[in-house]
């Protein structure tokens, strides 16, 4: 009787297992090698622009060419389009034409950060600061007293573009936002977390040395400008036509005695973007054209010319379709998309905001999300049963560890991805990605096993969906 009950349980019950109980020694070795490559991607890709630059470097080394309209392409050819240096799309042409659709992975490489305001530079009490405007959803109290790097581009009055990268090298200066000392923080400590650090106090300390031999006003501000002008040719007015981003300093690091985690800035969503990239690199002669997208602006609604709501993706796919005499609408109608974005990992320290039965756990594999959104699924594309079943079957058939996930309890909050914008194009779409601890914090944490299984998921989709 007991054996029969066990057989029935195995046959009928859904019982997810920790990935390490199923992972072979050979796969663990491959997982660790993959994660070392991923850490290099994180260190090289501190901003969306730097992600694009490194992606092109890696892609060209693997035979991808910059796409030009009118290029003659055949099965197996590899091309990419650089969207204004802030987004990129790559494709491997399939053996079937695009009337059969494409297999698409759509991730984003922008991450929550502090942007400089258009007129950021000021001095007060003989200290010099940059004023910031936070980008995306952050918990402001987490960003004080964290060492920061500065990356971006400044367009000078001459029209020349100057790249600025300060804080990433061992001998570079870094930057900081001050916090109030606890001795004077009694009233601050009474405020809710979201109010204790106002947005307008997120001012980056950048100097205190005045312009030598001058008694003019703004001499501390001039001291900084003299340095910027000497190295980059920048004047204060040039900062108006600049995109400078302050991001947490430091490299991706292993976490834990067993090194089973990686902590870094920008896992959301570079952990899924890199899984897509590695997946399309590894895909062997796909039947359907495989497409990898690094989109920008997801953290602020996917707007703008480099966001997933722009027509840049439609233009690229339209060009490929036109080359094959296929309509874009027909291609989209037969396409399949994984919106590769992270999900919330269950954290027992904050258990009250999770529905434990429907939460993603670290080391259980890639998290599939039928819907995101908020409350009553507001802002979600809500994948159909057929779409969920298709991906579930693919992963089961190809040895990919996966789990189903929601982004916390129904009334606890919510979130969104690019899935809804792909679905609006009449593309069957589902979210899938890595569970993340401390999402949107300056340093987020992910499990190596989940990173690797997300890569295997994307490779499987590109090859076999």
């Amino acid at each position: 009787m007991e054996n029969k009950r066990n057989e029935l349980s195995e046959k009928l019950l859904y019982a997810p297992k920790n990935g390490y109980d199923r992972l072979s020694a050979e796969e663990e070795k491959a997982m660790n090698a993959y994660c070392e490559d991923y850490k290099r991607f994180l260190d090289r890709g501190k901003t969306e622009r730097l992600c694009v630059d490194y992606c092109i470097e890696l892609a060209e080394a693997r035979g991808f060419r910059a796409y030009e309209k009118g290029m003659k392409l055949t099965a197996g050819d590899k091309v990419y389009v650089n969207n204004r240096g802030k987004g990129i799309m790559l494709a491997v042409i399939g053996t079937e034409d695009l009337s059969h659709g494409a297999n698409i992975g759509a991730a984003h490489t922008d991450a929550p950060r502090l942007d400089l305001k258009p007129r950021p530079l000021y001095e007060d009490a003989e200290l010099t600061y940059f004023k910031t405007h936070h980008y995306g959803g952050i918990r402001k109290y987490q960003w004080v007293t964290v060492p920061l790097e500065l990356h971006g581009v400044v367009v000078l009055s001459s029209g020349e573009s100057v790249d600025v990268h300060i804080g990433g090298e061992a001998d570079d200066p870094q930057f900081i936002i001050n916090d109030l000392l606890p001795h004077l923080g009694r009233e601050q400590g009474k405020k809710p977390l979201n109010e204790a650090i106002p947005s307008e106090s997120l001012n980056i300390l950048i100097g205190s040395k005045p312009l030598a031999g001058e008694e003019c006003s703004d001499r501390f501000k001039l001291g900084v400008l003299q340095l910027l002008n000497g190295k980059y040719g920048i004047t204060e007015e040039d900062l108006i036509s600049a995109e400078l981003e302050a991001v947490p300093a430091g490299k991706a690091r292993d976490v834990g005695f067993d090194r089973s985690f990686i902590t870094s800035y920008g896992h959301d969503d570079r952990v899924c973007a890199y899984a897509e990239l590695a997946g399309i690199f590894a895909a062997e002669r796909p039947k359907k054209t495989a497409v990898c997208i690094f989109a920008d602006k997801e953290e602020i609604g996917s707007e703008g010319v480099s966001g997933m709501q722009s027509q840049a993706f439609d233009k690229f796919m339209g060009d490929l379709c036109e080359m094959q005499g296929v309509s874009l609408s027909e291609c989209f109608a037969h396409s399949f998309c994984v919106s590769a974005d992270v999900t919330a990992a269950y954290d027992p320290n904050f258990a009250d905001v999770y529905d434990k039965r429907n939460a993603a756990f670290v080391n259980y594999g890639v998290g599939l999300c039928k819907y995101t959104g908020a409350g009553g699924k507001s802002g979600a594309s809500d994948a159909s049963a057929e779409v969920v079943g298709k991906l579930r079957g693919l992963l089961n058939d190809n040895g990919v560890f996966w789990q189903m996930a929601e982004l916390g309890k129904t009334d606890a909050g919510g979130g969104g991805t690019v899935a809804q914008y792909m679905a609006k194009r009449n593309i069957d779409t589902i979210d899938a990605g890595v569970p993340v601890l401390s999402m949107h914090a300056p340093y987020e944490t992910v499990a190596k096993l989940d990173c690797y299984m997300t890569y295997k998921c994307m490779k499987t989709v590109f090859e076999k969906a």
Side-chain angles (χ1 to χ4, degrees):
M1 178 65 79
E2 185 65 29
N3 287 339
K4 186 174 181 180
R5 186 182 297 112
N6 290 340
E7 288 176 10
L8 197 61
S9 296
E10 188 172 337
K11 179 181 179 181
L12 297 181
L13 295 180
Y14 174 55
K17 296 179 181 179
N18 187 292
Y20 279 103
D21 293 330
R22 299 181 281 166
L23 193 68
S24 68
E26 182 181 1
E27 279 223 297
E28 186 168 1
K29 184 178 179 180
M31 174 192 80
N32 288 327
Y34 170 82
C35 287
E36 290 304 306
D37 291 338
Y38 170 53
K39 287 191 290 184
R40 279 189 286 275
F41 179 77
L42 286 168
D43 294 342
R44 290 284 300 273
K46 283 293 187 82
T47 70
E48 69 283 358
R49 289 180 183 270
L50 291 172
C51 284
V52 169
D53 290 345
Y54 190 44
C55 177
I56 291 172
E57 179 184 324
L58 294 174
E60 289 185 343
R62 289 162 175 78
F64 283 77
R65 298 175 291 154
Y67 173 77
E68 296 178 6
K69 188 173 174 61
M71 288 176 71
K72 299 297 182 184
L73 299 175
T74 58
D77 284 346
K78 305 171 183 179
V79 293
Y80 70 84
V81 166
N82 180 348
N83 184 11
R84 298 168 171 88
K86 302 178 75 173
I88 192 167
M89 294 159 282
L90 304 95
V92 177
I93 306 303
T95 56
E96 296 180 342
D97 71 40
L98 284 162
S99 67
H100 296 87
N103 289 325
I104 303 164
H108 67 92
T109 51
D110 62 315
R113 60 179 190 256
L114 301 176
D115 287 342
L116 298 197
K117 289 194 173 187
R119 294 186 61 188
L121 184 60
Y122 77 100
E123 65 176 70
D124 192 353
E126 300 188 348
L127 300 175
T128 312
Y129 296 93
F130 276 148
K131 292 195 70 66
T132 69
H133 191 131
H134 62 84
Y135 173 99
I138 67 169
R139 307 191 78 182
K140 290 168 284 188
Y141 74 90
Q142 296 176 334
W143 287 73
V144 296
T145 72
V146 174
L148 300 171
E149 300 176 11
L150 197 64
H151 297 281
V153 62
V154 181
V155 178
L156 307 182
S157 57
S158 65
E160 178 189 359
S161 292
V162 178
D163 290 330
V164 173
H165 303 290
I166 308 171
E169 299 300 326
D171 58 348
D172 279 356
Q174 294 180 339
F175 309 98
I176 205 84
I177 297 171
N178 302 327
D179 195 7
L180 188 60
L181 63 162
H183 311 71
L184 301 177
R186 185 176 302 168
E187 292 304 313
Q188 182 194 49
K190 296 176 182 177
K191 297 179 180 179
L193 282 177
N194 289 338
E195 298 175 12
I197 304 293
S199 294
E200 295 300 336
S201 70
L202 293 175
N203 301 314
I204 302 172
L205 183 64
I206 60 173
S208 65
K209 188 175 179 180
L211 186 66
E214 297 290 338
E215 293 301 327
C216 60
S217 62
D218 294 330
R219 65 196 187 106
F220 294 88
K221 178 174 158 181
L222 277 168
V224 169
L225 277 171
Q226 184 181 45
L227 294 171
L228 290 174
N229 186 260
K231 185 169 184 179
Y232 299 106
I234 293 171
T235 68
E236 185 175 13
E237 186 179 326
D238 293 329
L239 295 174
I240 292 172
S241 53
E243 288 184 2
L244 292 172
E245 304 174 11
V247 300
K251 297 183 180 299
R253 298 294 297 267
D254 288 349
V255 164
F257 290 114
D258 56 8
R259 295 180 176 268
S260 58
F261 294 102
I262 302 170
T263 195
S264 176
Y265 167 67
H267 284 312
D268 179 11
D269 182 38
R270 292 164 194 160
V271 67
C272 296
Y274 185 73
E276 282 186 7
L277 187 66
I280 202 168
F281 287 166
E284 296 180 4
R285 200 166 174 80
K287 286 176 62 179
K288 290 187 176 183
T289 293
V291 180
C292 168
I293 303 166
F294 285 12
D296 184 25
K297 299 287 188 270
E298 191 276 343
E299 297 294 357
I300 57 171
S302 296
E303 305 283 356
V305 293
S306 53
M308 204 64 246
Q309 292 199 68
S310 84
Q311 294 183 15
F313 171 64
D314 305 68
K315 182 181 185 307
F316 176 51
M317 293 302 298
D319 285 351
L320 296 182
C321 286
E322 182 181 336
M323 176 187 66
Q324 297 184 359
V326 174
S327 73
L328 181 61
S329 60
E330 183 180 12
C331 171
F332 282 172
H334 294 97
S335 292
F336 183 78
C337 176
V338 170
S339 167
D341 209 338
V342 298
T343 189
Y346 179 80
D347 188 336
N349 294 299
F350 306 101
D352 57 324
V353 296
Y354 297 90
D355 172 5
K356 195 171 183 179
R357 289 181 58 83
N358 289 285
F361 287 79
V362 298
N363 293 324
Y364 277 67
V366 59
L368 313 187
C369 295
K370 186 179 187 296
Y371 47 82
T372 53
K377 302 185 181 180
S378 176
S381 65
D382 201 2
S384 69
E386 291 83 356
V387 170
V388 177
K390 177 176 180 174
L391 185 56
R392 172 184 155 217
L394 273 172
L395 302 187
N396 282 339
D397 291 345
N398 290 278
V400 181
F401 306 164
W402 61 273
Q403 57 186 315
M404 288 304 295
E406 285 192 336
L407 196 66
K409 286 182 177 177
T410 304
D411 292 333
T417 67
V418 303
Q420 61 182 312
Y421 309 118
M422 303 307 286
K424 284 180 180 178
R425 292 174 162 99
N426 196 28
I427 300 172
D428 279 332
T429 305
I430 182 172
D431 281 299
V434 175
V436 176
L437 295 163
S438 305
M439 192 189 298
H440 282 213
Y443 294 94
E444 303 167 314
T445 301
V446 296
K448 291 181 177 180
L449 187 145
D450 301 328
C451 296
Y452 182 65
M453 288 301 157
T454 302
Y455 151 70
K456 286 189 66 176
C457 167
M458 294 312 307
K459 180 176 182 290
T460 298
V461 167
F462 289 140
E463 287 182 332
K464 299 179 179 181

